[in-house]
Amino acid sequence: MTNKPTIQDVAKKANVSVATVSRVINEQGGVRKPTEERIKQAIKELRYVRNAVARSMVRKETKTIGVIIPDICNPFFPEIIAGIERKAIGADYSTTLSSSNESKKIESKIIQSFVERGIDGVIITTADENGEHLQPLFDANIPVVAVDRAIKHFDVDTVLTGNREGAYEAVRHLIMQKHEKIAIIRGPQDTTPGLERYKGYCQAMEEYGLPIKEEWICDGDFMEDSGYELTKKLSTCKEMPTAIFSSNNLMSIGAIKALYDMSWVLGKEVSFVGFDDIDIATFTNPPLTVVSRPMRNLGELAFQLLFERMKQDPLVKNQKREFIVTPHLIVRQSCKRSVY
Amino acid sequence: MTNKPTIQDVAKKANVSVATVSRVINEQGGVRKPTEERIKQAIKELRYVRNAVARSMVRKETKTIGVIIPDICNPFFPEIIAGIERKAIGADYSTTLSSSNESKKIESKIIQSFVERGIDGVIITTADENGEHLQPLFDANIPVVAVDRAIKHFDVDTVLTGNREGAYEAVRHLIMQKHEKIAIIRGPQDTTPGLERYKGYCQAMEEYGLPIKEEWICDGDFMEDSGYELTKKLSTCKEMPTAIFSSNNLMSIGAIKALYDMSWVLGKEVSFVGFDDIDIATFTNPPLTVVSRPMRNLGELAFQLLFERMKQDPLVKNQKREFIVTPHLIVRQSCKRSVY
DNA sequence: CACTAAAATCTAAACGTTTACATTTTATAA
DNA sequence: TTATAAAATGTAAACGTTTAGATTTTAGTG
């Protein structure tokens, strides 16, 4: 088949200039009705499709946002993406998705590719919260919104959860059930969620004068396998915990599987609270008590912040904004009152 | 800050032409060592970043694939995307993601946007298998690979699952457990998975001379709520089924919730097999017997097929290819032998 | 040294749109 | 009817890269 029709072809057919066609395509007004009709007819007959690449070159914007997440298969992130996308579509933005698999190196490559492609803005849950590797984005004046994990090295708009608060409530709930020996499966301490949730755990324990034994602190990596292995390891504790607080959803899944494999009776021999609600939480026996947060709203808020930044003059330095969404505890039945 | 440096600036600084700089950037050879070093030094000093948009205009390729799925929060699709992305990255492609939310209208808008943006290829799980609304992709000579759902109106490469085969094995398993009254929660009959899985159910029932009562056939929409409502509705059957086969993961979740809410004892009062394995399946009590398939491999295969198409001359008409990935049954404990 | 062939490098058009400024057309008022 | 202002439309440069074909430089041979 022949080459695709261009705006030039439409102009020729409608007997006008390309500027006039451009005015009609972009609905800018300033074109007489009969002229407009002729142009629209020509577009239809030629089956003209505008070329967004050419437009991007002139306008220096691509109407595309980049989303960088660590793990698409963690149920948390699809919810975030659903929220972002719902808003992005309404604003005529396309969403380019990339997963870093918790690798700073891969993330750097993604960022380089995004800058080259002229991405207008980026929403990121970074693999490395230091964030120095995000320098190319700032060099290119590309606005960034961080979700769930903060970025230390730059001032960027951030959407977080009240991690400490949520963890505090979770551990406090266990304490109110008379648990005194509470273990934590914490996330990487160089991440905001990992660190803050751990702090929430410590705060609750200290507030009630409870000991924090070294062997009760298990260092996970937010992945299911680490939750599994660390929970199994808990069985070798000198002083067995009677309750476990897990810092994220996948580690919770792993932990529950380990409890099952060790024939520890959830809700009886050991109580459990996890951070982040997922479908599975209602299916475990008994259903899990969890810290929940509105994931789609997080995504929508992230896009909203980014959208405002993309509309702004990049040279105007505005104060960074930080939103902290409050999680809440959903009490199901995985916490039994301790009879000690 | 001043405008970003262009290839022109690099050329000036290195005392060469833009063509020579382009040769170095694209590693095309034919440049003397000292010249190459000067150019690389200039790139570094100017912090030059190549402009992929300009390149796309000249080359008429964007190194971007579009992925259109119905529902990002269905755990099936993140796995597919993980598979696609793993391959895409290796081939230097970016992945633009869009969810249609099972809406043909939204899907048409996504397609229009993808065509305008010069997307090089599309992987789609379409909202409407007739597929006529995909016409703009074919008009634009954009290769398409269909995943999980076929496209009737065009010949496109397709990656499917042995839906009928998987459903047949699932239902047969129930029959071998002496179940004779088996209900199905089927997906939309205008979709390949919906229809083929229903056919597999029928084939198994007919093969063993078992009746298929109208009231045992429940029409769902692949979403959790439909699984829930339809399972509840089963309690009003004149002739109560003793087993349920659910045609997808989310409807299985809904169904299990309904059984729980109705206090039907899973694995005792009713047996259950679902299509697609998900984490939840191991957590229900008892854990679910399911039809499983290698989702990441589906994604990788889809990208592979698309990649080959994108490399091909679009005017060369090759035979469409169809791959059918064989699912397998994972027997857990949600099927109790019927004592009838 | 001269000639020729090969290698290296350069020139400038092309890709398709947008838009600033120029030109033409139209409408209105005197 | 003429003049002027406003509206409509046109012209051509710009955006930043790639590359075909031209030109220059270099290497090798007689």
Side-chain angles (χ1 to χ4, degrees):
Chain A
M1 114 193 228
T2 65
N3 273 334
K4 298 184 193 92
T6 69
I7 198 169
Q8 207 96 359
D9 300 313
V10 175
K12 250 180 204 159
K13 194 172 184 67
N15 260 332
V16 291
S17 70
V18 295
T20 305
V21 178
S22 180
R23 283 191 189 93
V24 168
I25 286 168
N26 291 296
E27 299 177 354
Q28 282 166 341
V31 180
R32 279 165 160 223
K33 263 297 185 193
T35 308
E36 185 178 347
E37 292 308 315
R38 279 206 325 280
I39 290 170
K40 284 181 168 172
Q41 184 63 25
I43 287 173
K44 183 172 254 180
E45 284 171 17
L46 291 168
R47 286 171 167 222
Y48 166 74
V49 174
R50 65 207 289 181
N51 184 321
V53 173
R55 182 175 211 269
S56 294
M57 250 198 78
V58 176
R59 301 279 298 177
K60 298 197 180 195
E61 74 178 351
T62 54
K63 284 288 198 176
T64 302
I65 63 165
V67 174
I68 306 175
I69 53 175
D71 178 17
I72 184 75
C73 294
N74 180 329
F76 174 76
F77 292 109
E79 292 283 345
I80 297 295
I81 291 164
I84 291 170
E85 239 218 303
R86 177 189 292 161
K87 287 287 191 179
I89 280 185
D92 280 321
Y93 275 83
S94 220
T95 305
T96 293
L97 176 74
S98 254
S99 299
S100 65
N101 289 321
E102 300 285 357
S103 161
K104 176 178 156 185
K105 190 177 172 185
I106 294 181
E107 195 163 287
S108 292
K109 285 187 169 183
I110 294 167
I111 284 161
Q112 181 64 18
S113 172
F114 278 7
V115 173
E116 289 184 4
R117 289 166 181 278
I119 288 266
D120 295 335
V122 167
I123 294 176
I124 186 170
T125 302
T126 185
D128 178 358
E129 287 194 30
N130 278 319
E132 280 157 348
H133 62 301
L134 306 185
Q135 182 71 49
L137 291 172
F138 297 93
D139 290 344
N141 282 326
I142 295 176
V144 175
V145 171
V147 172
D148 199 50
R149 298 180 193 179
I151 290 166
K152 296 178 177 57
H153 198 259
F154 298 100
D155 282 345
V156 306
D157 292 335
T158 309
V159 179
L160 295 175
T161 308
N163 291 299
R164 182 191 305 216
E165 177 180 3
Y168 172 86
E169 290 301 327
V171 176
R172 188 172 169 275
H173 176 72
L174 288 168
I175 295 169
M176 298 314 289
Q177 302 279 343
K178 305 300 182 195
H179 288 281
E180 297 183 353
K181 295 167 178 170
I182 303 170
I184 180 175
I185 305 175
R186 66 183 186 181
Q189 294 302 281
D190 58 354
T191 69
T192 300
L195 181 60
E196 292 299 308
R197 291 170 195 177
Y198 174 61
K199 282 182 176 175
Y201 160 85
C202 289
Q203 185 185 328
M205 297 294 275
E206 277 152 21
E207 189 166 299
Y208 288 86
L210 297 178
I212 299 173
K213 305 285 179 146
E214 194 71 11
E215 58 181 0
W216 295 343
I217 300 170
C218 312
D219 280 304
D221 62 7
F222 282 147
M223 306 299 273
E224 186 175 319
D225 285 348
S226 69
Y228 183 90
E229 296 304 331
L230 291 166
T231 300
K232 289 202 112 181
K233 218 174 133 190
L234 281 177
S235 67
T236 67
C237 282
K238 277 203 234 143
E239 212 170 338
M240 298 291 277
T242 61
I244 302 172
F245 167 63
S246 168
S247 293
N248 96 328
N249 50 4
L250 295 183
M251 297 195 301
S252 294
I253 294 172
I256 301 302
K257 282 178 176 174
L259 293 175
Y260 180 84
D261 286 353
M262 296 191 292
S263 302
W264 285 20
V265 187
L266 181 62
K268 286 189 171 27
E269 292 174 276
V270 64
S271 289
F272 189 94
V273 181
F275 205 107
D276 264 337
D277 199 10
I278 39 182
D279 268 327
I280 288 170
T282 60
F283 283 87
T284 58
N285 184 40
L288 294 185
T289 295
V290 296
V291 182
S292 176
R293 46 184 175 158
M295 298 175 282
R296 287 200 195 214
N297 288 354
L298 286 169
E300 290 178 357
L301 181 53
F303 181 82
Q304 191 57 39
L305 293 177
L306 188 67
F307 185 63
E308 284 163 13
R309 288 295 184 192
M310 292 189 292
K311 288 203 297 177
Q312 240 174 21
D313 186 327
L315 301 183
V316 168
K317 285 294 181 187
N318 283 44
Q319 197 84 6
K320 114 178 192 179
R321 294 168 293 181
E322 184 170 286
F323 284 76
I324 302 188
V325 174
T326 303
H328 62 283
L329 196 66
I330 298 185
V331 179
R332 296 195 180 103
Q333 291 118 48
S334 62
C335 304
K336 179 185 194 300
R337 178 175 276 267
S338 177
V339 295
Y340 285 89
Chain B
M1 112 193 227
T2 64
N3 273 333
K4 298 183 193 91
T6 67
I7 198 169
Q8 207 96 356
D9 300 313
V10 175
K12 250 181 205 158
K13 194 171 186 70
N15 260 333
V16 293
S17 72
V18 295
T20 305
V21 178
S22 181
R23 282 200 186 87
V24 168
I25 288 168
N26 291 297
E27 298 177 354
Q28 283 166 339
V31 180
R32 282 169 160 215
K33 262 301 183 187
T35 308
E36 185 178 346
E37 294 306 318
R38 276 205 328 279
I39 291 170
K40 284 180 166 173
Q41 185 63 25
I43 287 173
K44 182 174 255 181
E45 284 173 17
L46 290 169
R47 289 169 163 223
Y48 166 74
V49 174
R50 64 207 287 184
N51 184 322
V53 173
R55 180 174 212 270
S56 294
M57 250 198 76
V58 177
R59 301 279 299 176
K60 299 197 181 195
E61 76 178 348
T62 55
K63 286 289 199 171
T64 302
I65 64 165
V67 174
I68 306 176
I69 53 174
D71 178 16
I72 184 78
C73 293
N74 181 327
F76 174 76
F77 291 110
E79 292 283 346
I80 297 295
I81 290 163
I84 291 170
E85 239 218 305
R86 177 189 291 164
K87 289 287 191 176
I89 280 186
D92 280 321
Y93 275 83
S94 224
T95 306
T96 294
L97 176 75
S98 254
S99 299
S100 64
N101 290 320
E102 300 283 0
S103 160
K104 176 181 158 187
K105 191 179 173 187
I106 294 181
E107 196 163 288
S108 292
K109 286 187 171 183
I110 293 167
I111 285 162
Q112 181 63 20
S113 173
F114 278 7
V115 173
E116 288 183 3
R117 288 166 182 280
I119 288 262
D120 295 335
V122 168
I123 295 176
I124 187 169
T125 303
T126 187
D128 178 357
E129 286 194 32
N130 280 317
E132 280 158 347
H133 61 301
L134 306 184
Q135 182 69 51
L137 290 171
F138 297 92
D139 289 345
N141 281 327
I142 295 176
V144 176
V145 170
V147 172
D148 198 49
R149 299 181 193 178
I151 290 166
K152 297 177 176 56
H153 198 257
F154 298 101
D155 281 345
V156 306
D157 293 335
T158 309
V159 179
L160 294 175
T161 308
N163 291 300
R164 183 192 302 216
E165 177 178 1
Y168 171 86
E169 289 301 327
V171 176
R172 188 172 169 273
H173 177 72
L174 288 167
I175 294 169
M176 299 312 290
Q177 302 277 344
K178 307 298 182 195
H179 288 281
E180 296 182 356
K181 296 167 176 168
I182 304 171
I184 180 174
I185 305 175
R186 66 183 186 180
Q189 293 302 281
D190 59 354
T191 70
T192 299
L195 181 61
E196 291 298 309
R197 290 171 197 177
Y198 175 60
K199 282 179 176 175
Y201 160 86
C202 289
Q203 185 186 330
M205 297 294 274
E206 277 151 22
E207 189 167 300
Y208 288 85
L210 297 178
I212 298 174
K213 306 286 179 139
E214 195 69 12
E215 57 182 0
W216 295 343
I217 301 171
C218 311
D219 281 307
D221 61 8
F222 282 148
M223 307 299 273
E224 187 175 317
D225 286 348
S226 69
Y228 183 90
E229 297 303 331
L230 290 164
T231 301
K232 291 201 110 181
K233 214 173 135 192
L234 280 176
S235 66
T236 67
C237 282
K238 275 204 238 142
E239 209 169 339
M240 298 290 277
T242 61
I244 301 172
F245 167 61
S246 169
S247 293
N248 95 330
N249 53 3
L250 295 184
M251 296 195 302
S252 295
I253 294 172
I256 301 303
K257 283 180 174 174
L259 293 175
Y260 180 83
D261 285 353
M262 297 190 293
S263 301
W264 285 20
V265 186
L266 181 62
K268 287 190 171 27
E269 292 173 273
V270 63
S271 290
F272 189 95
V273 183
F275 205 107
D276 266 338
D277 198 12
I278 39 181
D279 266 329
I280 290 170
T282 60
F283 284 89
T284 58
N285 184 39
L288 294 183
T289 295
V290 296
V291 182
S292 174
R293 47 185 173 154
M295 298 175 282
R296 288 200 195 212
N297 287 355
L298 286 170
E300 290 179 357
L301 181 53
F303 181 83
Q304 191 56 40
L305 293 178
L306 188 67
F307 185 63
E308 284 164 14
R309 289 293 183 195
M310 293 188 292
K311 288 201 299 176
Q312 242 173 20
D313 186 330
L315 300 182
V316 168
K317 286 294 184 189
N318 284 43
Q319 196 84 6
K320 115 180 192 178
R321 294 167 293 180
E322 184 170 285
F323 285 75
I324 302 188
V325 174
T326 303
H328 62 284
L329 194 67
I330 299 184
V331 178
R332 295 194 182 104
Q333 292 118 45
S334 61
C335 305
K336 179 185 193 292
R337 178 175 276 264
S338 176
V339 295
Y340 286 88

